[in-house]
Amino acid sequence: MVVVLHGGPGASGYMAPVARGLADSFRVLEPMQRGSGDGPLTVARHVEDLHELVKSQCEGARPALVGHSWGAMLALAYAAAHPDSLASLVLIGCGTFDLASRDRMRAIIKQRMDDSLRRRMEHLAEEYPDPDQRLGVLGNLFLPLYSYDLVATELEAATYDARAHQETWEDMLRLQEQGVYPAAFAAINAPVVMVHGAADPHPGSMIRESLAPYLPQLEYREWERCGHYPWLESGVRDEFFAFLREWLSRRFGMLSRNCPSTAP
């Protein structure tokens, strides 16, 4: 079982190509994370939602979590809270866990922006007064800045939720400021691999360095001609899916060999 976790936060549905790309080899779930509503969203709420799904859908099996961006951060938070409930973790374009990484990311994005995009950004709120619609437009405007050589010009997203995005991200930042993350990841004992593109403005080497003290088992795979969305990159998409299938199959194989049989 593989559970694919979208990023954003608050951008459900765009990981569908990844789910489809793995579905020929694994049973795949792509849950839509909780949206905004009663009370503010927290990381803990998302973690417990995911745990309820794992308990109800995985039939006692330990799934692999494949998370992208914020979804990779959620996968780590879940694994820290429930370390015996999963088989392995794949972190695609993982988000940041310290100020230095975020500052570097902002600098890269600023450097890649041209005057035309800057002018568009100045008037985006007027052009799209609905915050959910604006979040979706913003994601597609930034897509070239996050990428190397795309095969698509838009993300495949079902819904955008700006309030969910803000509430969830603010809680993650609060937990980082309090020193909860990434220190809590020391509880994770499952295999973990970071999958990253060198053209991703999220600085992969800096993020890896921030995680390594707490995840000595962390593996790292980076492609040169690749940005934040490897499955949309013309030069690496096939290699990306081949790597995922091989790595996940190998980890599931190790799990089955290490688990005692339940047959009578």
Side-chain angles (χ1 to χ4, degrees), residues 1-5 18-19 22-31 50-67 78 85-90 190-191 244-245 247-253 255-256:
M1 169 76 74
V2 173
V3 179
V4 174
L5 301 174
V18 177
L22 296 175
D24 60 345
S25 302
F26 309 98
R27 181 186 172 203
V28 181
L29 294 178
E30 187 202 1
L50 180 54
H51 193 49
E52 288 301 314
L53 179 135
V54 168
K55 290 191 297 182
S56 65
Q57 298 295 321
C58 295
E59 301 173 346
R62 285 188 279 174
L65 303 183
V66 177
Y78 177 82
S85 296
L86 71 158
S88 58
L89 294 171
V90 179
L244 282 191
R245 294 187 195 99
W247 193 89
L248 289 167
S249 295
R250 182 156 41 92
R251 297 308 173 185
F252 279 127
L255 180 66
S256 65

Side-chain angles (χ1 to χ4, degrees), residues 9 33-34 38-53 55 70 73-82 164 167-176 178 180-181 184-185:
Q33 294 162 30
R34 182 185 294 264
D38 297 333
L41 283 173
T42 64
V43 175
R45 177 69 268 177
H46 286 296
V47 166
E48 290 314 303
D49 284 347
L50 180 54
H51 193 49
E52 288 301 314
L53 179 135
K55 290 191 297 182
W70 147 253
M73 304 173 83
L74 174 57
L76 286 165
Y78 177 82
H82 302 281
E167 291 176 353
T168 301
W169 187 241
E170 286 179 352
D171 192 53
M172 172 54 78
L173 292 180
R174 177 186 65 82
L175 292 166
Q176 291 185 23
Q178 292 178 355
V180 176
Y181 299 131
F185 303 152

